[in-house]
Amino acid sequence: MKTLLNIDDGKKVKILKISGGKTVRQHLQCLGIHIGDIVILKKGSFLGGPVLLEVNGYDVALGRGVASKIEVEEVE
Amino acid sequence: MKIAFIGQPNAGKSTLFNGLAGYKTITANFPGQTVHYTISKVKVGEDIFEIVDLPGIYSLTAIDKAEFEARKYILSGQADVVINVIDASTLSRSLELTLQLTELQVPMVICLNMIDEARRKGLKIDTEKLSQIFGVPVIETIANKGIGIDKIFVSAKEVYQKKLIPKIQFFHRDIEERIEEIERTIPKNFFKNLPRRYIAVKLLEGDEELFEGVKSYSEILKKINHIREEIKITHGRDTDMVISSERHALTMNIFEEVTKIGEPLKTLREKVDDILTNRYLGYPLLFSIIFGIFFLVFEVGKIVEKPIVSLFELAIEKLPSIIKEGSLGFFLIKGLLEGFSGGMGVAIPYLIPFFIGLTILEDIGYLPRMAFLMDTVMHRIGLHGKSILPFVVSYGCNVAGVMATRILESQRDRFITAALSVFVPCAARTSVIFGIVGAFIGGTAVAAVYIFNILIIMLLGAILTKFAPEVTPGLIMEIPPLRAPTLKNVYMKTWLRLKDFITVAWPLLVVSSITLSLLEYLKVDIFLNKFLSPIVSLLLGLPEQVGITLLFGILRKELSMIMLFQAMHTTDLSAVMSNIQLIVFTVFTVFYMPCVGTIGALIKECGIKKMLIITVITLLVALILAFVSKIFLSFFI
C-alpha cells in the first residue's frame, strides 16, 4: 500500500484511507482533506521533513508522521 | 447591533476589521494569527455597530484553544449578525464552516474576501447563485486594498432588519430522520439558547461539551448512543465521519454549482515560492534572511543610538552645575534622565527596525514557510513546525510569543513551546545584548550570544521531551500564498507595536529609574545588594552593586541594563567591568526569570503551577549558564 511518502513530486493522487486517531482525521477534514479526494503532491518529504500538498488550489503542509498515515493511489 | 466576524484562519477577518475600525489589531499572513478577540465600536451615520474580530476557526468542532475561544463566543449568542468571512480562493473548504454556521440560525452575511486571489487561481464564483442557495446576501471584498468593505455595514443592517436567517442545507434523508428523532428527544431547557437542530447534529458527532451536558439525563444518553450505534452499522463508519462526509458532499455540490474553474495564472510569485521552500536553497535563504534582519537592526540601531545617548549623557554631566549634587532633587532628576535615555536611546533605535523586519516577514507569509522548512529540526526537540511561530514572535516580545502557543493543538506542545519561548531573547533583551555585549565587546560576540541561546533552547527542548514524550502526529498546516506587504500595513503595525512599548514599558522604565535613584538616596540599595551578594558576587563574580539591577530586570528586562548604568554610575561599562563580567551579566539577564508581563501570560495560558515550574527552570538554567560561562571564559580571555 502506498502512502504520501512513496509518491513522486507533481503526481496526482486519490486518498484511500486515513489511519490514526479521530483528532488527526478531523484536523485533516478541516483543511479540506477527505477520503476520496484527489490532491497533488507538490513536494515530497526530504530528510524527514514535511510534504506539501495542493488541495483544490491551496497548499497544505503535512508532517512526515501524518503523511505516513495517509494511504493513496496514483490517478491518471 | 453586534456584528461578529467569523471565518477560517487567514481568511482576512482582522484585515477587514482594521479596515472598518481603524487600526486596532495585529494581522499577519499566517493561519491563526488572531488568538484573542478584539471589540470595537464604529459609528456609521446614525447607527452604532459593535464589531468583534474572532480567532479563525476551521469548523465548530474546536481543535485548538484559539478555536475553542471563538466557538464559545459564537455559541453564547451575543452576536446579532454574523459576517462569515471566506477566503474566496479556498471556497471549497470554507463552505463547510458556512454550512455549520447556518445551523446556528443567526442573521448572516457571506463575505467573499480575497476575490482577486480567487480570480488569479482561475475560480469564477457566481455570487448571485450562492446568495440564492443560502438566502442571505453575498458580498465580494479585497480587504487589504479596502475594496468592497463599505458594503459590510449596509448588508449587516439589511439582514438584521429583515431577519435574514440562512437556509439550512439538508443532509440525506436517512440522516435527517435521525436528526429529527434526537431533536424530539432532547428536553426543552437543555442548552436553551442553542437551536435544536444544532444540538442534535453535534450530539450525533459526539461533541464532548454537549455530551457532558446530556450525561445527567441517562435515558436520553442511552437513546442517543443507540442511534449512533445504528448509524454506525448501516453506514459502516463512526457517526462523526458520516456527518463529516455528508457535509463534505453538500459542500462540494454547492461549490460545483457556484464556481467555474478556469486556468490559474502562473506568475513570478509561484516561482519565488518554489525557491523559498526548495529543499536545497530554502535553508541558506532562511539563514540569510534571519541574519540579514539582525544585521540591519544592529547597523541601523547603532547609527541612531550614539547621538541620542551622548545627548543625555551630556545633560547628566551638566546636572551638578544646575542642582546641588547629592540632594534629593538631584537624584530624582538624574533618575528621570537616565530612564528617558534608556527608552529613547537604547531601546527604540533597535525596536523600530526590528518591528519593521518582523512585520514584513509576517505579511509576506514567510513564517508558514519557515514552519515548513524547520519541521524536521523542530521534531528533534520534540515539537513540530508550527511551534516556530511562537518562537519567532518571542523575538519581539515573550508575552505575544506565549500567547501564540494557542495555535498548537496539544497541551503538551503548548507547555514545551511556552517553556522554550521564554528563553528567546525578546526585543528588551535584544537591547541588553546589543547595549552591553554589542557596544563594549563587538558584533561577533553578539552573534555568539544568539547562537549560544539557540543551542541551549534546543538542548532544553531535547531534555523536556524526555520527560514528556512526543505523542502528537505532527504538522498539519495550510501554507497561504505569498502576498506583497502594503506600506500602510507595515507602518500601522510597527506603530501599534511601538505604541505598546511607549505607553507600557517606557513609563515603567522611567519610574523604576527614579525609584532606584531614590533607593540610592535612602541607601536602601546597599542593604539589598548585600542580601544578594552571595549569588551575585561569589557565584557569578559580578560587582556587588549589580544585585539590585537584576531585581529590576524582573519588571522589564531592559531595566537591568539601564539600572546597571545607574548603579555603576557610568555608561562606559568597560571602564568598571571586565569583558567576562559583561558577558556573564548578559547571559544571566537573557536566561533568568520571565518578566512580570510574561509571567502573567504564562499563568493565563498554562496555569500557575506550570508557570512556577517554568520560572524555576529559567532561574536554574540562568545560574548554571552564567557560572559555567564565567569559568569557561576565564580560560580564554
Side-chain angles (χ1 to χ4, degrees):
Chain A
M1 203 78 252
K2 277 186 172 175
T3 70
L4 278 175
L5 296 178
N6 322 110
I7 301 293
D8 295 332
D9 288 10
K11 285 274 187 312
K12 234 182 206 179
V13 294
K14 185 174 176 181
I15 295 170
L16 300 177
K17 194 179 161 201
I18 300 173
S19 42
K22 187 174 158 187
T23 354
V24 182
R25 216 172 55 219
Q26 276 183 347
H27 201 161
L28 288 169
Q29 281 165 4
C30 286
L31 284 163
I33 300 170
H34 305 74
I35 292 164
D37 285 356
I38 289 170
V39 298
I40 300 168
L41 185 87
K42 274 177 112 173
K43 283 180 185 183
S45 170
F46 177 65
L47 291 177
V51 302
L52 191 66
L53 293 184
E54 191 184 317
V55 187
N56 284 324
Y58 53 87
D59 293 347
V60 176
L62 299 180
R64 199 187 157 83
V66 185
S68 70
K69 292 195 173 76
I70 302 179
E71 286 177 17
V72 293
E73 68 174 9
E74 278 181 37
V75 291
E76 277 179 327
Chain B
M1 188 165 108
K2 258 193 188 168
I3 304 175
F5 284 71
I6 301 172
Q8 297 197 328
N10 216 33
K13 295 171 295 298
S14 297
T15 310
L16 274 177
F17 180 89
N18 284 340
L20 294 168
Y23 214 97
K24 295 245 168 66
T25 176
I26 299 247
T27 58
N29 188 6
F30 191 96
Q33 170 65 27
T34 308
V35 286
H36 54 104
Y37 55 83
T38 320
I39 300 178
S40 181
K41 281 200 174 110
V42 183
K43 202 167 172 234
V44 183
E46 291 297 294
D47 308 297
I48 292 174
F49 296 92
E50 198 176 320
I51 52 179
V52 189
D53 176 35
L54 293 169
I57 51 174
Y58 283 112
S59 78
L60 290 180
T61 316
I63 289 176
D64 60 40
K65 223 176 144 194
E67 287 190 4
F68 188 75
E69 295 290 321
R71 168 177 137 146
K72 216 163 78 187
Y73 182 87
I74 300 165
L75 296 183
S76 71
Q78 291 178 53
D80 299 310
V81 173
V82 163
I83 309 277
N84 177 207
V85 184
I86 289 176
D87 169 359
S89 64
T90 64
L91 186 69
S92 63
R93 178 189 82 202
S94 308
L95 282 172
E96 301 216 2
L97 176 65
T98 311
L99 282 182
Q100 297 185 48
L101 290 175
T102 62
E103 281 162 7
L104 293 175
Q105 295 288 289
V106 179
M108 185 163 94
V109 176
I110 294 174
C111 170
L112 294 177
N113 192 29
M114 304 190 211
I115 199 79
D116 52 340
E117 202 76 55
R119 287 191 194 124
R120 203 193 270 271
K121 284 186 179 167
L123 279 185
K124 257 190 153 169
I125 303 170
D126 185 343
T127 50
E128 198 76 18
K129 206 175 246 170
L130 191 62
S131 169
Q132 270 169 25
I133 292 172
F134 285 102
V136 296
V138 176
I139 54 179
E140 293 183 348
T141 58
I142 305 170
N144 63 350
K145 292 184 185 136
I147 298 171
I149 61 172
D150 50 320
K151 286 179 282 186
I152 288 179
F153 285 134
V154 182
S155 308
K157 207 174 157 185
E158 183 196 339
V159 294
Y160 181 62
Q161 280 166 351
K162 294 187 189 160
K163 288 270 168 285
L164 290 179
I165 295 193
K167 287 185 209 156
I168 284 181
Q169 311 296 312
F170 293 104
F171 300 138
H172 284 108
R173 201 119 156 248
D174 54 329
I175 299 292
E176 283 301 330
E177 278 166 8
R178 295 312 207 168
I179 292 172
E180 270 173 45
E181 210 175 318
I182 297 181
E183 276 184 65
R184 282 196 301 271
T185 318
I186 44 179
K188 280 220 161 50
N189 58 353
F190 182 68
F191 284 95
K192 49 173 181 285
N193 44 9
L194 293 181
R196 308 281 87 186
R197 183 191 158 82
Y198 171 80
I199 299 177
V201 174
K202 281 288 152 200
L203 282 173
L204 269 186
E205 281 182 293
D207 183 84
E208 276 171 36
E209 210 186 345
L210 285 168
F211 254 93
E212 201 53 46
V214 93
K215 251 185 192 158
S216 46
Y217 308 88
S218 62
E219 275 303 303
I220 300 166
L221 184 68
K222 230 167 96 188
K223 177 129 193 221
I224 291 165
N225 280 332
H226 181 67
I227 293 175
R228 294 186 69 195
E229 276 308 307
E230 276 182 0
I231 293 178
K232 194 176 172 181
I233 292 163
T234 51
H235 287 73
R237 278 189 283 179
D238 282 330
T239 44
D240 70 291
M241 282 178 91
V242 175
I243 297 279
S244 142
S245 42
E246 285 280 324
R247 209 174 267 139
H248 185 52
L250 266 177
T251 308
M252 290 321 278
N253 282 344
I254 299 174
F255 177 69
E256 275 158 25
E257 210 173 316
V258 300
T259 50
K260 279 203 191 81
I261 302 169
E263 266 306 299
L265 292 167
K266 281 277 173 208
T267 50
L268 180 71
R269 202 167 59 154
E270 275 70 30
K271 281 183 200 129
V272 172
D273 196 5
D274 202 41
I275 294 169
L276 284 181
T277 52
N278 184 282
R279 60 181 53 157
Y280 304 111
L281 296 173
Y283 296 97
L285 275 171
L286 175 78
F287 184 77
S288 346
I289 288 169
I290 300 292
F291 185 79
I293 285 185
F294 275 103
F295 180 75
L296 275 178
V297 169
F298 184 54
E299 288 301 319
V300 172
K302 220 168 49 183
I303 298 167
V304 187
E305 180 191 344
K306 288 260 156 65
I308 298 179
V309 170
S310 56
L311 204 70
F312 276 101
E313 267 166 24
L314 199 71
I316 294 170
E317 260 170 51
K318 288 264 166 67
L319 204 58
S321 60
I322 305 164
I323 192 161
K324 197 174 147 257
E325 203 170 350
S327 69
L328 178 62
F330 173 81
F331 273 107
L332 290 182
I333 294 176
K334 196 180 83 157
L336 187 77
L337 280 174
E338 275 165 343
F340 262 100
S341 139
M344 189 116 143
V346 186
I348 290 180
Y350 295 107
L351 281 181
I352 294 178
F354 178 79
F355 286 156
I356 292 175
L358 181 66
T359 304
I360 292 176
L361 280 192
E362 279 180 351
D363 286 9
I364 287 179
Y366 189 63
L367 297 187
R369 277 140 189 104
M370 254 176 100
F372 180 82
L373 288 169
M374 294 301 286
D375 191 52
T376 327
V377 180
M378 301 298 269
H379 273 293
R380 301 265 181 277
I381 60 171
L383 294 167
H384 62 74
K386 247 186 182 176
S387 295
I388 201 86
L389 178 81
F391 289 149
V392 173
V393 173
S394 287
Y395 277 101
C397 172
N398 284 184
V399 175
V402 169
M403 280 171 69
T405 58
R406 285 196 197 173
I407 58 160
L408 302 171
E409 299 86 8
S410 84
Q411 216 178 1
R412 169 205 174 269
D413 287 7
R414 282 200 293 270
F415 172 69
I416 295 185
T417 310
L420 297 180
S421 287
V422 301
F423 286 103
V424 173
C426 58
R429 281 174 275 176
T430 297
S431 62
V432 177
I433 297 172
F434 281 121
I436 295 181
V437 177
F440 301 110
I441 303 173
T444 329
V446 170
V449 170
Y450 277 98
I451 293 169
F452 177 65
N453 174 267
I454 291 172
L455 291 177
I456 295 295
I457 290 174
M458 292 187 65
L459 183 70
L460 283 171
I463 294 172
L464 281 176
T465 310
K466 287 273 175 295
F467 289 101
E470 190 175 2
V471 282
T472 42
L475 182 73
I476 303 180
M477 188 174 106
E478 188 191 347
I479 311 279
L482 293 173
R483 286 185 194 122
T486 63
L487 198 62
K488 187 182 162 210
N489 202 40
V490 172
Y491 169 74
M492 291 307 287
K493 216 152 110 178
T494 305
W495 167 239
L496 206 66
R497 286 183 161 140
L498 196 65
K499 206 169 80 182
D500 255 7
F501 174 81
I502 295 173
T503 54
V504 182
W506 204 1
L508 199 64
L509 277 178
V510 175
V511 171
S512 310
S513 177
I514 296 175
T515 314
L516 184 64
S517 256
L518 208 62
L519 290 180
E520 225 177 308
Y521 177 72
L522 298 170
K523 308 250 180 316
V524 185
D525 58 330
I526 299 173
F527 174 74
L528 282 171
N529 283 334
K530 275 269 173 294
F531 178 72
L532 291 171
S533 79
I535 294 174
V536 175
S537 308
L538 288 178
L539 191 65
L540 304 181
L542 296 171
E544 208 173 84
Q545 303 98 293
V546 172
I548 197 163
T549 67
L550 295 174
L551 278 185
F552 275 92
I554 300 171
L555 284 178
R556 292 273 316 176
K557 291 283 178 150
E558 63 267 66
L559 267 177
S560 34
M561 175 178 58
I562 317 286
M563 300 294 112
L564 185 65
F565 292 147
Q566 209 180 343
M568 305 306 285
H569 302 289
T570 175
T571 42
D572 184 20
L573 291 178
S574 56
V576 286
M577 284 167 82
S578 68
N579 279 358
I580 296 180
Q581 284 178 323
L582 290 174
I583 293 178
V584 169
F585 176 82
T586 309
V587 166
F588 190 78
T589 316
V590 167
F591 286 97
Y592 90 114
M593 264 190 98
C595 68
V596 272
T598 310
I599 289 179
L602 283 173
I603 293 177
K604 211 167 146 209
E605 301 302 320
C606 309
I608 289 183
K609 207 176 127 199
K610 285 187 176 152
M611 179 279 288
L612 287 174
I613 297 174
I614 293 174
T615 308
V616 170
I617 295 176
T618 57
L619 272 174
L620 282 177
V621 168
L623 280 174
I624 294 168
L625 291 179
F627 182 71
V628 171
S629 320
K630 181 187 94 172
I631 306 285
F632 182 74
L633 289 172
S634 63
F635 289 113
F636 295 95
I637 301 176

